[in-house]
């Protein structure tokens, strides 16, 4: 009887499992297909915008937008996909701008080597800051990054090669590969667009790699990731260094575009702005930081005539987005479209 009962139970359960399994699999495949479709649409729109932007928008404005979009995307790699909130990312953005500007102006580096110098400096600084900061979590981690960033700001103010309050001015753009003059607006624009696209593709690849999946596991449940055998601190440090290096690339590119580096680039307010951009666009999304950077930079340009009141408008916009779009603009769009990520 016992064997007969167990046989009946197995017979009863099996059809149910077979009915549920394929439906769940089909649903997952549908969501993945829909996500890939919409990501493809966004990629197409982004590429079309990059190709056509200098012909209907002021090129310098678009280059500034791309620099901040890369900065926000680099920051999002840390907070959105690793769960680490840094209040000191301006140190990497501004520090790299000074190093790249000095390398281009004083050492005579060509553009690519100048950007590489700034990026490597930001990566080294990120390793130093990250090695100290990851010893703590939460608000303590954020406060350590802010304190160390203020030290960098102090050095930027006091070091003789930075120009102090006047900033590092007269940074030459030079010639790309010794052939193409970057003083030509279109040449400079497409160079910046290329740098942004390569770096953004790198971030996209990191997110969708096994390494990126581990980072997201750490964000969701750090003790469980630790119990699975992952060296959590090492993954955090590597994510911090990558985020710092990409933020440094953004700062170096901005110094090349505007031909100067200023204290504003290393000020704590810059760290606040990149947090704002990321939250407005959608933390933990792929394209959210780009959209958030566009909103903030566009508002700053459009409302520049009202002076410091532009900060009030941006603050009001942020409050409205937090109340109405809790996941950010792109995050809410992904929810409306019923897709996993965008």
């Amino acid at each position: 009887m016992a064997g007969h009962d167990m046989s009946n139970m197995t017979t009863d359960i099996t059809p149910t499992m077979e009915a549920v399994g394929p439906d769940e699999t089909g649903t997952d495949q549908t969501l993945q297909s829909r996500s890939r479709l919409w990501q493809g649409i966004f990629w197409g729109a982004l590429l079309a915008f990059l190709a056509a932007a200098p012909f209907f928008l002021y090129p310098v404005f678009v280059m500034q937008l791309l620099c901040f979009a890369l900065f926000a995307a680099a920051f999002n790699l840390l907070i959105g996909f690793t769960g680490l909130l840094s209040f000191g990312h301006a140190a990497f953005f501004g520090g790299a701008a000074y190093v790249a500007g000095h390398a281009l102006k004083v050492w005579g580096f060509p553009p690519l080597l100048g950007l590489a110098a700034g990026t490597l400096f930001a990566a080294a600084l990120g390793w130093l800051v990250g090695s100290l900061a990851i010893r703590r979590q939460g608000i303590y981690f954020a406060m350590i990054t802010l304190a160390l960033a203020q030290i960098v700001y102090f050095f930027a103010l006091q070091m003789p090669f930075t120009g102090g309050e006047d900033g590092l001015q007269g940074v030459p753009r030079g010639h790309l590969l010794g052939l193409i003059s970057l003083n030509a607006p279109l040449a400079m624009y497409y160079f910046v667009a290329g740098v942004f696209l390569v770096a953004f593709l790198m971030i996209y690849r990191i997110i969708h790699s096994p390494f990126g999946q581990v980072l997201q596991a750490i964000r969701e449940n750090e003790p469980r990731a630790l119990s699975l055998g992952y060296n959590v601190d090492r993954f955090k440090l590597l994510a911090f260094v990558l985020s710092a290096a990409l933020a440094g690339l953004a700062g170096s590119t901005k110094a090349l575009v505007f031909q100067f580096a200023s204290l504003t680039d290393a000020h704590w307010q810059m760290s606040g702005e990149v947090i704002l951009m990321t939250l407005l666009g959608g933390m933990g999304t792929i394209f959210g930081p780009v959209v958030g950077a566009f909103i903030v930079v566009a508002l700053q340009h459009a409302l520049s005539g009202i002076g410091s009141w532009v900060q009030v408008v941006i603050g009001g916009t942020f409050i409205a987005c937090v109340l109405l779009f809790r996941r950010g603009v792109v995050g809410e769009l992904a929810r409306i479209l019923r897709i996993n990520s965008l």
Side-chain angles (χ1 to χ4, degrees):
M1 286 294 292
H4 180 69
D5 291 342
M6 290 298 294
S7 176
N8 288 340
M9 289 175 64
T10 306
T11 304
D12 292 340
I13 292 172
T14 303
T16 305
M17 292 178 66
E18 290 178 352
V20 172
D23 288 343
E24 290 179 347
T25 303
T27 302
D28 290 342
Q29 290 177 349
T30 302
L31 287 174
Q32 290 176 2
S33 299
R34 193 184 301 168
S35 296
R36 284 195 296 267
L37 173 63
W38 280 102
Q39 285 183 21
I41 292 172
F42 264 70
W43 273 112
L46 178 62
L47 292 174
F49 174 79
L50 292 177
F55 300 105
F56 62 89
L57 291 174
Y58 185 45
V60 174
F61 163 72
V62 185
M63 286 188 280
Q64 181 184 9
L65 167 63
L66 294 178
C67 291
F68 281 108
L70 177 56
F71 185 24
F75 179 75
N76 185 50
L77 179 64
L78 187 67
I79 186 175
F81 293 96
T82 314
L84 297 176
L85 173 59
S86 169
F87 282 158
H89 250 51
F92 314 121
F93 184 80
Y98 277 110
V99 170
H102 185 76
L104 291 165
K105 180 180 179 180
V106 180
W107 297 339
F109 279 23
L112 288 176
L113 283 181
L115 296 186
T119 304
L120 289 174
F121 169 80
L125 183 62
W127 177 82
L128 178 62
V129 173
S131 297
L132 297 172
I134 63 171
R135 300 170 186 269
R136 294 292 180 266
Q137 295 181 347
I139 191 63
Y140 301 103
F141 173 89
M143 289 296 102
I144 290 173
T145 60
L146 176 60
L148 294 173
Q150 287 301 99
I151 295 175
V152 174
Y153 176 81
F154 174 78
F155 277 109
L157 180 63
Q158 298 295 329
M159 294 294 286
F161 79 92
T162 62
E165 294 182 354
D166 295 328
L168 181 63
Q169 302 180 19
V171 176
R173 290 180 175 177
H175 289 71
L176 180 61
L177 302 176
L179 300 172
I180 304 171
S181 174
L182 294 182
N183 291 312
L186 275 181
M188 186 64 209
Y189 167 77
Y190 283 113
F191 173 69
V192 173
V195 170
F196 166 79
L197 191 59
V198 170
F200 192 64
L201 282 169
M202 180 180 176
I203 293 172
Y204 182 85
R205 184 68 190 98
I206 290 171
I207 292 170
H208 292 88
S209 68
F211 171 74
Q213 298 302 313
V214 174
L215 294 183
Q216 293 176 60
I218 292 172
R219 177 197 64 190
E220 295 298 330
N221 195 329
E222 183 176 332
R224 185 174 182 182
L226 189 62
S227 69
L228 291 173
Y230 292 109
N231 189 334
V232 170
D233 284 346
R234 191 168 72 176
F235 276 94
K236 283 183 178 180
L237 180 58
L238 185 53
F240 196 95
V241 171
L242 286 171
S243 179
L246 290 165
L249 177 60
S252 302
T253 307
K254 181 177 179 289
L256 186 66
V257 169
F258 291 96
Q259 298 185 275
F260 72 90
S262 66
L263 288 174
T264 305
D265 297 331
H267 196 261
W268 65 265
Q269 186 175 348
M270 184 63 71
S271 297
E273 284 190 13
V274 75
I275 295 173
L276 178 63
M277 293 172 188
T278 305
L279 293 178
L280 280 178
M283 185 178 68
T285 62
I286 299 168
F287 297 96
V290 179
V291 175
F294 182 85
I295 293 172
V296 173
V297 175
L299 284 175
Q300 288 175 343
H301 273 263
L303 304 176
S304 58
I306 64 175
S308 59
W309 281 95
V310 68
Q311 300 300 330
V312 177
V313 176
I314 292 175
T317 304
F318 175 68
I319 293 172
C321 283
V322 168
L323 294 176
L324 300 176
F325 309 106
R326 295 185 63 183
R327 299 176 179 85
V329 175
V330 175
E332 286 296 330
L333 181 59
R335 183 186 64 82
I336 292 171
L337 296 174
R338 296 180 180 179
I339 57 179
N340 293 328
S341 62
L342 190 59

